[in-house]
Amino acid sequence: MAEEKKLFKVTIDNIAIDVEPGTTILNAARMIGGDVTPPAMCYYSKLDGSGGKCRTCLVEIAQGSEKDPRPMPKLMASCRTTVMDGMVVKNMTSEKVMDARNGVVEFLLINHPLDCPICDQAGECHLQDLGYEHGKEGTRYEFKRRTFELEDIGPYIQLHMTRCILCYRCTYVADQLTDKRVHGILDRGDHSEISTYISKAIDNDFSGNMIDVCPVGALTDKTFRFKNRVWFTKPVDAHRNCENPKCCGKVTLWLRGDEVYRVTARKDQWGEVQSYGGKVGWICNTCRFDKKKTVDWTIEGLTTISRHSVIGANKYTTLEMPNDTIKKVLHGRAPKLLMNIHNVSGVNNPNIHLSEIDRPSHMEDFEKSGEFVKGAGESTQWGLPKE
Ligand code: SF4
Ligand code: FES
């Protein structure tokens, strides 16, 4: 008869839980959930070897174990420290931890530009969340921030090295998921940077997953760049039968109306890519970058966003896809007078589908430029049909 596995009892912020030996403090805290869980900027449960780089997950160990109840002298990285039977851990309840975390956030922000208003990651950036929770209003840093030569790493991914916090997640994705890693961390110390070797473009089927694991806006989707703020879009779960055997085909579509602005892998409450049947739900570049029409997908329903997030602020509660025809909207009535709002609003050119242009959107895509009004043709300057 199989011997029953002995579980270790660990208490985190006064909440006790039994976990298997070998579980890290961070994962034990995730099992409890909520505010007990330390933030993690570099650890990623689906990437082997991740963790131990950023120090945001530091916790106080008030009692080492049942057998040796001495506290640990220093704060420990919870993503790399495994639990002992009878261990007592303090996260939210420790002033030392809060103080250290404030310091870590200050360090992470020393070189990170505060360009959230123009960063595509804004609204889903873990550093932005940490900044709000632990950041200070001002900075004590008086020196010049790090700058880097701009580097083009291919047609799909935009690299902003100044935003990188060197968490190494993207290099683990490249190592563990693709067969042609051409980028990594070059140089040492303050000069370390993410770069491609000899400026090779990153072109392999799964490189887009680096965007999903990047906790900040250092790697963003070029096909979505500057097209919309993420909180204006509506995330829905969708799937397709992808021919790539390594791709799970399950995604989140970020819609505005029925335009697909962005395709990402589905994320769990920790901001990590979800797993299905024990396999991580990575998606291929074809699904991510080339399938930008709703007809390419079977839409399942609204995405659940459980993590505290600005995206959840205006969360829809039911999924209603836009109606195709005016008649449907008007419940069968035909309109007597139709005003073409595009011609008068200056919102965007009706001939341009923002999600389909292969560049960031410019002022001309939105503004009522001369040509654009001239193009109205059939209508008066107010968009009313000509008599
Ligand atoms: S680019 Fe992003 S994922 Fe890669 S090391 Fe920098 S912060 Fe981490
Ligand atoms: S998440 Fe533990 S050190 Fe980064």
Side-chain angles (χ1 to χ4, degrees):
M1 209 169 76
E3 218 178 279
E4 210 176 297
K5 235 188 205 168
K6 180 172 165 28
L7 296 179
F8 283 177
K9 180 179 166 195
V10 53
T11 307
I12 307 173
D13 285 346
N14 302 319
I15 304 173
I17 187 169
D18 291 329
V19 297
E20 286 193 6
T23 308
T24 59
I25 298 172
L26 179 66
N27 280 332
R30 285 186 175 186
M31 288 175 200
I32 298 171
D35 289 343
V36 169
T37 316
M41 295 292 283
C42 68
Y43 173 74
Y44 205 88
S45 62
K46 283 95 189 176
L47 296 172
D48 291 342
S50 65
K53 320 274 190 308
C54 71
R55 321 310 281 177
T56 49
C57 67
L58 289 178
V59 290
E60 182 181 341
I61 298 181
Q63 173 173 310
S65 69
E66 185 88 58
K67 286 193 184 131
D68 182 359
R70 286 178 301 170
M72 291 206 184
K74 284 187 186 169
L75 301 181
M76 301 297 287
S78 61
C79 68
R80 281 294 180 99
T81 312
T82 49
V83 298
M84 300 297 284
D85 196 19
M87 186 181 259
V88 177
V89 179
K90 287 181 171 181
N91 175 37
M92 293 292 284
T93 50
S94 165
E95 264 181 46
K96 270 197 228 164
V97 169
M98 288 305 120
D99 193 37
R101 202 164 285 156
N102 294 352
V104 169
V105 172
E106 193 176 356
F107 268 119
L108 287 175
L109 288 173
I110 274 182
N111 281 304
H112 190 93
L114 297 183
D115 59 355
C116 311
I118 53 137
C119 175
D120 277 320
Q121 187 86 354
E124 46 188 17
C125 173
H126 295 192
L127 188 56
Q128 197 178 32
D129 294 344
L130 270 184
Y132 275 106
E133 283 156 18
H134 299 276
K136 296 208 172 77
E137 272 174 29
T139 176
R140 292 183 285 167
Y141 194 66
E142 290 171 359
F143 303 98
K144 218 176 142 212
R145 288 172 186 233
R146 281 186 312 171
T147 52
F148 297 88
E149 291 281 320
L150 275 184
E151 191 174 357
D152 186 357
I153 60 166
Y156 293 131
I157 305 173
Q158 180 70 38
L159 170 65
H160 279 281
M161 193 51 223
T162 48
R163 295 178 187 157
C164 173
I165 59 155
L166 291 168
C167 72
Y168 283 68
R169 285 180 181 178
C170 60
T171 58
Y172 288 125
V173 165
D175 263 345
Q176 293 166 31
L177 212 66
T178 70
D179 47 5
K180 280 189 269 172
R181 172 152 90 91
V182 290
H183 90 293
I185 294 181
L186 303 188
D187 294 334
R188 309 194 70 177
D190 200 27
H191 296 283
S192 308
E193 63 172 305
I194 290 287
S195 179
T196 58
Y197 301 128
I198 337 172
S199 283
K200 273 191 181 174
I202 295 177
D203 63 341
N204 55 59
D205 281 357
F206 284 80
S207 62
N209 291 287
M210 292 193 292
I211 300 167
D212 280 342
V213 303
C214 184
V216 292
L219 297 172
T220 51
D221 182 342
K222 269 190 182 168
T223 66
F224 176 62
R225 199 163 133 76
F226 301 143
K227 297 222 176 103
N228 222 304
R229 302 311 317 212
V230 74
W231 52 88
F232 291 141
T233 57
K234 178 166 60 173
V236 296
D237 286 344
H239 67 265
R240 64 184 280 271
N241 287 331
C242 181
E243 285 143 22
N244 191 322
K246 270 163 65 186
C247 174
C248 80
K250 293 185 194 332
V251 301
T252 299
L253 302 181
W254 299 79
L255 304 176
R256 185 99 192 244
D258 60 356
E259 277 194 74
V260 179
Y261 274 77
R262 182 172 70 150
V263 182
T264 63
R266 293 189 201 167
K267 307 276 185 73
D268 62 16
Q269 59 174 321
W270 313 115
E272 292 187 7
V273 170
Q274 284 183 18
S275 295
Y276 304 95
K279 274 182 75 183
V280 189
W282 305 114
I283 59 168
C284 68
N285 285 1
T286 308
C287 286
R288 185 185 300 272
F289 299 121
D290 298 338
K291 301 294 171 190
K292 292 283 185 83
K293 294 214 166 79
T294 40
V295 291
D296 296 327
W297 298 95
T298 308
I299 293 180
E300 297 166 23
L302 286 167
T303 299
T304 312
I305 295 176
S306 54
R307 200 165 179 277
H308 63 286
S309 157
V310 68
I311 306 163
N314 297 316
K315 189 79 172 66
Y316 298 75
T317 49
T318 51
L319 176 62
E320 276 178 37
M321 294 303 287
N323 286 315
D324 294 339
T325 60
I326 301 280
K327 264 195 176 178
K328 259 195 190 170
V329 177
L330 295 177
H331 303 292
R333 279 185 297 122
K336 287 200 180 103
L337 175 72
L338 196 59
M339 189 176 190
N340 184 351
I341 194 169
H342 276 303
N343 289 344
V344 290
S345 69
V347 175
N348 65 301
N349 186 329
N351 302 319
I352 292 179
H353 292 277
L354 291 177
S355 59
E356 286 170 23
I357 51 178
D358 59 357
R359 54 169 171 77
S361 47
H362 301 147
M363 218 164 69
E364 299 83 59
D365 302 326
F366 294 94
E367 281 219 325
K368 202 167 59 173
S369 66
E371 197 186 338
F372 177 165
V373 171
K374 261 191 262 143
E378 300 307 308
S379 52
T380 64
Q381 64 165 324
W382 302 109
L384 297 172
K386 278 188 173 161
E387 290 294 303

